[in-house]
Amino acid sequence: MKSDIEIAQEAVMAPITEIAAKLGIEQEDLELYGKYKAKISDEYIGSIQDRPNGKLILMTAINPTPAGEGKTTTTVGLGQAFGKMGKRAVIALREPSLGPCFGIKGGAAGGGYAQVVPMEELNLHFTGDFHAITSANNLLAALLDNHMQQGNVLHIDPRQVVWKRCLDMNDRALRNIVIGMGGKTEGVVREDHFVITVASEIMAILCLAEDMKDLKERLAKIIVAYNDQGEPVTAGDLQAVGAMAALLKDALKPNLIQTLEHTPAIVHGGPFANIAHGCNSVRATKAALKMADYVITEAGFGADLGAEKFFDIKCRMAGLKPDAVVLVATIRALKYNGGIPKAELSKENLDALKKGIVNLEKHIENLHKYDVPVVVTLNSFVTDTDAEREFVKSFCEERGCEFALSEVWEKGGEGGIALAEKVLETLEKKESHFHPLYPDELSLREKIECVAKEIYGAGSVKFAPAAVKQLAKLEQLGFGNMPVCMAKTQYSLSDDASLLGRPEGFEMNVREIYVSAGAGFVVALTGTVMTMPGLSKNPAAYQIDVNEEGKITGLF
């Protein structure tokens, strides 16, 4: 079987102008980045605002495992299936981060015959959006340190600087550093930190901003430090907003590419879901809804992280109302949740499947709490047996979910027609009554406890002493009405990555809480989750190369 990158490199791509024409976008409304990718102009996005919205379909999944789930693959395949059926559909995805590409996860363009292309360019520099975000983040950090060096008229307390530098790479050595060493002219000596770019508040702001005006207003609200009176100091106070916005001007525009079967794909923004809010940009999603009858978007990692944040942060802020949810699982992953080692997942094992399917059950229950119709799809593997598939189908239908098999990895859009038909049937006969999980009026503590207990299944939440103080301060500063963004391991419903299946009644540990005032949410760090990942002993970077003809190998 060919690798994903081999399939992608053999694809015959259509010029991006032809893909845009399918949506009624003229070449003058595109900013071309070569033949096969482009940005959509602000003028065009403004011109379509009076159009009715299409149907919004969220793709989410069970908790990720080493066995694989295929959420992006299914998203792409469903979009391709709609295309084969003559439906006007657009896929709205996040951009991949370089950290996972060179780390463990690999690329993020789908797989098999359900991919977006150009695959290598998407996974590497793409249109430069992440570089712009990194530069804007670090410009703010440089202006902050320069202000303290040049007299510190804002009376910033160096011990209360909360803004961190960023880099779109897994580099654990940068988590905790000391800067300003070397003498009086080298800056103020203080402890500093790096986060990965996809965890930067700038990324969240870009993905939640409606337009340039909104972007600048959000940038101005970023809290970078506290002064010696304990009062917040913002990016606006540092006069950083204009220059940051200039760096982000082009990054604010959504990117247009295509699938292997020439379905339009808008790919824009990319916050992680385990340490950020995990959704593509509001601008991209809203623009897609004006361009197509069906928009398939995805949220990061499992539904406990990605879907919850899509609903409780993105939809709440942007006024979006999803019409249906597709929940992806694999028999292999469910058996892994049942305690079977990866090497034995190819064998039929109904006992392990029955034990591990409780993970899927919890995600179904969680999605039903938002009153959105749910379709469960099994991403098919050749090792799946009829008995295993039938068990999952019956399990889902008994819980009020529609069910369909997905074979998009092997067959592309043709393998997604059964799923597409089931989604269309669901949209026709079931109405969405979407609502967020919790109201704005709850306290921050109550919101955190609500997500932990209702979505994760925790019995209680333990707040570290530092987190208790931070909660009180944020409530005092007027941030209590904001939604919460939970930073948690993606591998378990709990904050302990080793607890598979459906852990219940556990104690969730919140160690730190901080506000992303520009993004408009409060972040709660749980367990041991890191905002700057590290590389493994054998990172994917070891396998990546480029030959003399410029052909990249080993990316995915």
Side-chain angles (χ1 to χ4, degrees), residues 12 18 71 79 84 99 197 238 244 251 284 302 341 400 416 433 466 469 489 499 511:
V12 178
E18 292 183 13
K71 174 162 50 65
K84 279 195 172 292
T197 298
L238 287 172
M244 292 167 69
H433 299 284
K469 292 179 181 178
T489 177
L499 297 180
R511 72 175 196 268

Side-chain angles (χ1 to χ4, degrees), residues 55-60 70-93 111 113-116 259 261 263-264 294-298 324-328 375-377 379 404-409 411-425 427:
K55 298 290 187 180
L56 181 58
I57 302 156
L58 174 67
M59 189 74 64
T60 188
K71 174 162 50 65
T72 304
T73 301
T74 309
T75 302
V76 176
L78 179 58
Q80 292 181 159
F82 276 131
K84 279 195 172 292
M85 297 167 69
K87 305 295 183 183
R88 191 179 175 95
V90 170
I91 299 161
L93 299 172
Y113 290 91
Q115 297 187 57
V116 284
T259 74
E261 298 179 11
T263 302
Y294 302 96
V295 174
I296 307 105
T297 191
E298 69 169 20
V325 181
V326 178
L327 177 59
V328 182
V375 178
V376 176
T377 186
N379 183 20
L405 193 66
S406 171
E407 300 176 284
V408 298
W409 183 86
K411 301 177 181 178
E414 189 67 33
I417 288 178
L419 173 58
E421 289 176 340
K422 190 62 69 174
V423 170
L424 289 172
E425 179 186 327
L427 290 171

